[in-house]
Amino acid sequence: MERVLGDKRAILILLGPALLVYSLIMLVPIIWSLGYTVLDGNPIVGFTFNGFDNFIKFFQDPAAWSAIWFTVRFAVVMTVLQVGAGFGLSLLYVFWLKRSSSAIRTIIFFPIVLPTVAVALLFQRLFEAAPTTGPVNSFLNLLGIDSVDWFGTPAASFWILLLMGLWQSMGFYGVLLYAGLLDIPEEMLESARLDGAGGWKLIRTIVLPLSLPVLLSSLIFSINGTLKVFDSVVALTNGGPGNATTPLTVYMFQTSFTYGQYGYGSTIALMLTILCLIFTIFIFRSTRRDVTKS
Protein backbone atom coordinates (compact mmCIF):
# COMPACT_ATOMS: atom_id res chain seq x y z
CA MET A 1 0.00 0.00 0.00
CA GLU A 2 2.84 2.41 0.83
CA ARG A 3 4.41 1.72 -2.60
CA VAL A 4 1.10 2.48 -4.34
CA LEU A 5 0.52 5.68 -2.38
CA GLY A 6 4.08 6.77 -3.08
CA ASP A 7 3.68 6.28 -6.82
CA LYS A 8 2.31 9.49 -8.34
CA ARG A 9 1.37 7.69 -11.54
CA ALA A 10 -0.70 5.13 -9.61
CA ILE A 11 -2.42 7.92 -7.69
CA LEU A 12 -3.26 9.67 -10.96
CA ILE A 13 -4.66 6.45 -12.46
CA LEU A 14 -6.77 5.73 -9.37
CA LEU A 15 -8.07 9.25 -8.74
CA GLY A 16 -8.02 10.67 -12.27
CA PRO A 17 -11.32 9.19 -13.55
CA ALA A 18 -13.20 10.15 -10.39
CA LEU A 19 -11.79 13.69 -10.43
CA LEU A 20 -12.68 14.03 -14.12
CA VAL A 21 -16.28 12.96 -13.54
CA TYR A 22 -16.55 15.21 -10.47
CA SER A 23 -15.17 18.16 -12.42
CA LEU A 24 -17.56 17.65 -15.31
CA ILE A 25 -20.61 17.18 -13.11
CA MET A 26 -19.89 19.64 -10.28
CA LEU A 27 -17.09 22.11 -10.92
CA VAL A 28 -17.83 23.01 -14.55
CA PRO A 29 -21.53 23.84 -13.87
CA ILE A 30 -20.51 25.92 -10.83
CA ILE A 31 -18.02 27.97 -12.85
CA TRP A 32 -20.55 28.25 -15.68
CA SER A 33 -23.19 29.51 -13.25
CA LEU A 34 -20.77 32.07 -11.81
CA GLY A 35 -20.23 33.38 -15.32
CA TYR A 36 -23.98 33.85 -15.77
CA THR A 37 -24.12 36.24 -12.79
CA VAL A 38 -22.69 39.08 -14.90
CA LEU A 39 -24.94 38.36 -17.88
CA ASP A 40 -28.54 39.07 -18.78
CA GLY A 41 -30.75 36.87 -20.97
CA ASN A 42 -31.07 33.18 -21.78
CA PRO A 43 -29.95 30.74 -24.51
CA ILE A 44 -32.99 31.56 -26.68
CA VAL A 45 -32.68 35.36 -26.88
CA GLY A 46 -28.95 35.43 -26.22
CA PHE A 47 -26.83 36.95 -23.46
CA THR A 48 -25.59 40.48 -22.88
CA PHE A 49 -23.01 41.63 -20.35
CA ASN A 50 -24.51 43.74 -17.55
CA GLY A 51 -21.74 43.82 -14.95
CA PHE A 52 -23.04 43.84 -11.38
CA ASP A 53 -26.62 44.81 -12.28
CA ASN A 54 -27.93 41.40 -11.17
CA PHE A 55 -26.44 41.87 -7.70
CA ILE A 56 -27.89 45.37 -7.43
CA LYS A 57 -31.26 44.02 -8.53
CA PHE A 58 -31.08 41.26 -5.93
CA PHE A 59 -30.52 43.61 -2.99
CA GLN A 60 -33.32 45.89 -4.23
CA ASP A 61 -35.78 43.04 -4.92
CA PRO A 62 -38.55 42.73 -2.26
CA ALA A 63 -39.35 39.19 -3.46
CA ALA A 64 -35.72 38.16 -2.90
CA TRP A 65 -35.74 39.51 0.66
CA SER A 66 -39.05 37.74 1.31
CA ALA A 67 -37.49 34.51 0.05
CA ILE A 68 -34.41 35.03 2.24
CA TRP A 69 -36.58 35.64 5.31
CA PHE A 70 -38.62 32.49 4.71
CA THR A 71 -35.50 30.42 3.94
CA VAL A 72 -33.66 31.49 7.10
CA ARG A 73 -36.73 31.16 9.31
CA PHE A 74 -37.58 27.73 7.94
CA ALA A 75 -33.97 26.50 8.15
CA VAL A 76 -33.42 27.63 11.75
CA VAL A 77 -36.71 26.28 13.11
CA MET A 78 -36.48 23.02 11.15
CA THR A 79 -32.87 22.43 12.20
CA VAL A 80 -33.76 22.89 15.87
CA LEU A 81 -36.73 20.54 15.49
CA GLN A 82 -34.87 17.90 13.46
CA VAL A 83 -31.78 17.71 15.65
CA GLY A 84 -33.76 18.12 18.88
CA ALA A 85 -36.27 15.39 17.99
CA GLY A 86 -33.46 13.19 16.65
CA PHE A 87 -31.46 13.56 19.87
CA GLY A 88 -34.55 12.79 21.94
CA LEU A 89 -35.21 9.66 19.87
CA SER A 90 -31.58 8.57 20.17
CA LEU A 91 -31.76 8.87 23.97
CA LEU A 92 -34.97 6.85 23.90
CA TYR A 93 -33.30 4.14 21.82
CA VAL A 94 -30.16 3.89 23.97
CA PHE A 95 -31.37 4.35 27.56
CA TRP A 96 -34.98 3.14 27.57
CA LEU A 97 -35.76 0.83 24.66
CA LYS A 98 -32.19 -0.50 24.36
CA ARG A 99 -32.05 -3.79 22.42
CA SER A 100 -35.78 -3.77 21.69
CA SER A 101 -35.49 -0.46 19.81
CA SER A 102 -34.69 -1.94 16.36
CA ALA A 103 -38.33 -2.31 15.27
CA ILE A 104 -39.27 1.18 16.46
CA ARG A 105 -36.17 2.66 14.81
CA THR A 106 -37.19 1.06 11.53
CA ILE A 107 -40.77 2.36 11.76
CA ILE A 108 -39.73 5.92 12.62
CA PHE A 109 -36.96 5.88 10.00
CA PHE A 110 -39.29 4.65 7.23
CA PRO A 111 -40.75 8.07 6.14
CA ILE A 112 -37.32 9.26 4.94
CA VAL A 113 -37.35 6.66 2.15
CA LEU A 114 -40.78 7.75 0.89
CA PRO A 115 -40.93 10.07 -2.15
CA THR A 116 -41.41 13.67 -1.08
CA VAL A 117 -44.29 14.09 -3.53
CA ALA A 118 -46.13 11.16 -1.95
CA VAL A 119 -45.61 12.61 1.54
CA ALA A 120 -46.83 16.01 0.35
CA LEU A 121 -49.99 14.46 -1.13
CA LEU A 122 -50.58 12.69 2.18
CA PHE A 123 -50.36 15.96 4.13
CA GLN A 124 -52.54 17.74 1.57
CA ARG A 125 -55.24 15.16 2.18
CA LEU A 126 -54.80 15.31 5.94
CA PHE A 127 -55.30 19.09 6.09
CA GLU A 128 -57.67 19.47 3.14
CA ALA A 129 -60.60 21.86 3.55
CA ALA A 130 -62.16 21.73 0.05
CA PRO A 131 -63.57 20.16 -2.07
CA THR A 132 -63.50 17.34 0.52
CA THR A 133 -62.85 17.67 4.22
CA GLY A 134 -59.60 16.09 5.43
CA PRO A 135 -59.21 14.13 8.67
CA VAL A 136 -57.88 17.14 10.60
CA ASN A 137 -60.82 19.37 9.70
CA SER A 138 -63.23 16.47 10.24
CA PHE A 139 -61.91 16.13 13.78
CA LEU A 140 -62.31 19.88 14.32
CA ASN A 141 -65.90 19.65 13.06
CA LEU A 142 -66.60 16.90 15.60
CA LEU A 143 -65.48 19.33 18.29
CA GLY A 144 -67.82 22.01 16.91
CA ILE A 145 -65.04 24.03 15.28
CA ASP A 146 -65.35 25.24 11.70
CA SER A 147 -62.99 23.88 9.06
CA VAL A 148 -59.71 25.76 8.65
CA ASP A 149 -58.15 26.58 5.29
CA TRP A 150 -54.69 25.44 6.36
CA PHE A 151 -53.06 26.30 3.05
CA GLY A 152 -54.78 29.68 2.74
CA THR A 153 -52.76 31.50 5.39
CA PRO A 154 -48.97 31.99 5.50
CA ALA A 155 -48.58 31.00 9.16
CA ALA A 156 -50.54 27.74 8.84
CA SER A 157 -48.74 26.80 5.62
CA PHE A 158 -45.39 27.42 7.28
CA TRP A 159 -46.14 25.16 10.23
CA ILE A 160 -47.55 22.39 8.05
CA LEU A 161 -44.33 22.47 6.00
CA LEU A 162 -42.38 22.16 9.25
CA LEU A 163 -44.58 19.33 10.47
CA MET A 164 -44.19 17.42 7.21
CA GLY A 165 -40.43 17.92 7.15
CA LEU A 166 -40.06 16.89 10.78
CA TRP A 167 -42.19 13.75 10.37
CA GLN A 168 -40.19 12.71 7.33
CA SER A 169 -36.69 13.41 8.67
CA MET A 170 -36.64 12.92 12.45
CA GLY A 171 -36.11 9.17 12.09
CA PHE A 172 -32.97 9.77 10.06
CA TYR A 173 -31.48 12.12 12.65
CA GLY A 174 -32.55 9.74 15.39
CA VAL A 175 -30.50 6.94 13.82
CA LEU A 176 -27.58 9.27 13.07
CA LEU A 177 -27.35 10.46 16.67
CA TYR A 178 -28.06 6.98 17.98
CA ALA A 179 -24.89 5.79 16.23
CA GLY A 180 -22.99 8.59 17.96
CA LEU A 181 -24.34 7.66 21.40
CA LEU A 182 -23.24 4.06 20.95
CA ASP A 183 -19.63 5.28 20.85
CA ILE A 184 -19.86 6.53 24.45
CA PRO A 185 -18.04 3.99 26.65
CA GLU A 186 -20.43 2.10 28.90
CA GLU A 187 -17.79 2.15 31.66
CA MET A 188 -17.93 5.95 31.74
CA LEU A 189 -21.72 5.92 32.06
CA GLU A 190 -21.55 3.36 34.86
CA SER A 191 -18.93 5.41 36.69
CA ALA A 192 -21.13 8.49 36.44
CA ARG A 193 -24.11 6.54 37.79
CA LEU A 194 -22.03 5.30 40.73
CA ASP A 195 -21.09 8.92 41.46
CA GLY A 196 -24.76 9.81 41.69
CA ALA A 197 -25.38 11.13 38.18
CA GLY A 198 -28.65 9.95 36.74
CA GLY A 199 -31.43 11.09 34.47
CA TRP A 200 -31.06 14.65 33.23
CA LYS A 201 -27.79 15.16 35.15
CA LEU A 202 -26.21 12.17 33.37
CA ILE A 203 -27.34 13.49 29.99
CA ARG A 204 -26.19 17.04 30.71
CA THR A 205 -22.77 16.23 32.17
CA ILE A 206 -21.72 13.08 30.30
CA VAL A 207 -23.87 12.26 27.26
CA LEU A 208 -24.26 15.75 25.79
CA PRO A 209 -20.56 16.77 25.91
CA LEU A 210 -19.45 13.43 24.41
CA SER A 211 -22.11 13.75 21.70
CA LEU A 212 -20.93 17.17 20.49
CA PRO A 213 -19.03 15.89 17.41
CA VAL A 214 -22.03 14.02 16.00
CA LEU A 215 -24.36 16.85 17.06
CA LEU A 216 -22.18 19.30 15.16
CA SER A 217 -22.30 17.12 12.06
CA SER A 218 -26.08 16.83 12.38
CA LEU A 219 -26.48 20.60 12.75
CA ILE A 220 -24.40 21.33 9.65
CA PHE A 221 -26.11 18.59 7.67
CA SER A 222 -29.54 19.82 8.70
CA ILE A 223 -28.99 23.57 8.23
CA ASN A 224 -27.53 23.11 4.75
CA GLY A 225 -30.31 20.75 3.74
CA THR A 226 -33.10 23.00 5.00
CA LEU A 227 -31.57 26.15 3.49
CA LYS A 228 -31.81 24.36 0.13
CA VAL A 229 -35.37 23.10 0.65
CA PHE A 230 -37.14 22.74 -2.69
CA ASP A 231 -39.14 19.61 -3.46
CA SER A 232 -41.30 19.60 -0.32
CA VAL A 233 -42.31 23.25 -0.84
CA VAL A 234 -43.12 22.74 -4.52
CA ALA A 235 -45.11 19.59 -3.82
CA LEU A 236 -47.07 20.90 -0.82
CA THR A 237 -47.64 24.65 -1.26
CA ASN A 238 -45.80 25.61 -4.49
CA GLY A 239 -44.62 28.71 -2.62
CA GLY A 240 -48.11 29.89 -1.72
CA PRO A 241 -50.26 31.48 -0.60
CA GLY A 242 -48.83 34.22 -2.78
CA ASN A 243 -45.09 33.97 -2.21
CA ALA A 244 -45.34 33.47 1.57
CA THR A 245 -43.63 30.06 1.51
CA THR A 246 -41.26 30.68 -1.39
CA PRO A 247 -37.63 29.89 -0.44
CA LEU A 248 -34.60 31.04 -2.42
CA THR A 249 -34.42 27.73 -4.26
CA VAL A 250 -37.96 28.01 -5.64
CA TYR A 251 -37.46 31.70 -6.44
CA MET A 252 -34.25 30.82 -8.28
CA PHE A 253 -36.04 28.09 -10.25
CA GLN A 254 -38.93 30.37 -11.19
CA THR A 255 -36.60 33.19 -12.19
CA SER A 256 -34.37 30.98 -14.33
CA PHE A 257 -36.79 28.58 -15.98
CA THR A 258 -40.20 30.29 -15.81
CA TYR A 259 -39.08 33.82 -16.66
CA GLY A 260 -35.91 32.91 -18.57
CA GLN A 261 -33.61 35.19 -16.53
CA TYR A 262 -30.59 32.93 -16.31
CA GLY A 263 -28.25 35.65 -15.08
CA TYR A 264 -30.47 36.77 -12.21
CA GLY A 265 -31.29 33.15 -11.33
CA SER A 266 -27.57 32.35 -11.11
CA THR A 267 -27.11 35.39 -8.85
CA ILE A 268 -29.81 34.04 -6.52
CA ALA A 269 -28.03 30.67 -6.51
CA LEU A 270 -24.75 32.36 -5.58
CA MET A 271 -26.44 34.24 -2.73
CA LEU A 272 -27.88 30.95 -1.46
CA THR A 273 -24.40 29.38 -1.54
CA ILE A 274 -22.99 32.30 0.44
CA LEU A 275 -25.85 31.96 2.95
CA CYS A 276 -25.02 28.27 3.45
CA LEU A 277 -21.35 29.11 3.99
CA ILE A 278 -22.23 31.81 6.54
CA PHE A 279 -24.35 29.43 8.60
CA THR A 280 -21.75 26.65 8.42
CA ILE A 281 -18.92 28.96 9.53
CA PHE A 282 -21.12 30.36 12.31
CA ILE A 283 -21.85 26.86 13.67
CA PHE A 284 -18.17 25.89 13.49
CA ARG A 285 -16.98 29.04 15.26
CA SER A 286 -19.71 28.86 17.93
CA THR A 287 -18.98 25.24 18.81
CA ARG A 288 -15.22 25.82 18.82
CA ARG A 289 -15.66 28.79 21.16
CA ASP A 290 -17.82 26.68 23.48
CA VAL A 291 -15.23 23.89 23.53
CA THR A 292 -12.45 26.41 24.26
CA LYS A 293 -14.39 27.89 27.18
CA SER A 294 -15.10 24.48 28.65
Side-chain angles (χ1 to χ4, degrees):
M1 181 60 69
E2 291 181 359
R3 290 179 59 187
V4 173
L5 294 177
D7 188 347
K8 294 182 179 180
R9 183 178 299 177
I11 294 175
L12 181 62
I13 294 174
L14 292 172
L15 296 181
L19 288 174
L20 179 62
V21 173
Y22 178 80
S23 299
L24 292 175
I25 295 177
M26 297 293 295
L27 297 182
V28 172
I30 289 173
I31 296 173
W32 205 309
S33 179
L34 287 174
Y36 278 145
T37 60
V38 294
L39 300 176
D40 184 29
N42 57 66
I44 298 177
V45 301
F47 293 96
T48 57
F49 180 79
N50 66 353
F52 294 101
D53 288 353
N54 288 325
F55 295 92
I56 296 172
K57 179 180 179 181
F58 179 84
F59 289 109
Q60 295 178 346
D61 186 0
W65 285 106
S66 175
I68 290 175
W69 169 237
F70 172 80
T71 301
V72 172
R73 189 161 47 107
F74 179 85
V76 171
V77 176
M78 179 57 78
T79 296
V80 172
L81 292 175
Q82 283 179 339
V83 178
F87 190 66
L89 286 172
S90 66
L91 293 174
L92 180 69
Y93 298 153
V94 173
F95 294 107
W96 283 275
L97 298 178
K98 298 182 179 179
R99 294 183 179 180
S100 62
S101 67
S102 57
I104 296 177
R105 288 202 313 269
T106 303
I107 293 172
I108 299 177
F109 183 84
F110 180 71
I112 197 67
V113 304
L114 296 175
T116 303
V117 174
V119 176
L121 288 173
L122 170 65
F123 273 78
Q124 283 180 351
R125 295 294 180 268
L126 283 173
F127 292 92
E128 193 172 24
T132 58
T133 303
V136 174
N137 277 321
S138 296
F139 178 73
L140 293 178
N141 293 339
L142 287 176
L143 299 177
I145 303 173
D146 294 335
S147 296
V148 178
D149 184 6
W150 297 100
F151 299 104
T153 59
S157 299
F158 176 75
W159 286 106
I160 293 174
L161 276 170
L162 288 172
L163 180 63
M164 186 183 82
L166 179 63
W167 179 79
Q168 191 176 15
S169 62
M170 66 179 182
F172 170 79
Y173 286 95
V175 171
L176 182 65
L177 292 165
Y178 168 75
L181 293 184
L182 291 179
D183 290 335
I184 299 176
E186 185 64 29
E187 296 80 7
M188 187 175 294
L189 295 175
E190 288 298 329
S191 299
R193 291 190 182 100
L194 291 174
D195 290 337
W200 169 245
K201 186 177 181 181
L202 178 67
I203 295 172
R204 181 173 55 85
T205 58
I206 303 296
V207 176
L208 193 58
L210 294 178
S211 302
L212 282 180
V214 69
L215 278 171
L216 174 62
S217 300
S218 300
L219 284 171
I220 294 174
F221 194 81
S222 177
I223 196 70
N224 280 280
T226 50
L227 283 171
K228 295 179 287 188
V229 62
F230 179 80
D231 50 354
S232 59
V233 173
V234 172
L236 187 62
T237 66
N238 199 28
N243 61 349
T245 60
T246 301
L248 280 172
T249 51
V250 175
Y251 188 48
M252 172 192 67
F253 178 83
Q254 293 172 343
T255 301
S256 300
F257 301 108
T258 302
Y259 305 115
Q261 300 176 16
Y262 278 41
Y264 188 44
S266 297
T267 304
I268 298 172
L270 178 60
M271 293 297 106
L272 177 60
T273 304
I274 294 173
L275 191 63
C276 292
L277 287 173
I278 290 172
F279 272 92
T280 302
I281 293 171
F282 174 77
I283 293 173
F284 266 120
R285 290 181 64 87
S286 299
T287 52
R288 187 170 61 182
R289 184 165 54 247
D290 291 340
V291 171
T292 303
K293 288 180 180 180
S294 60

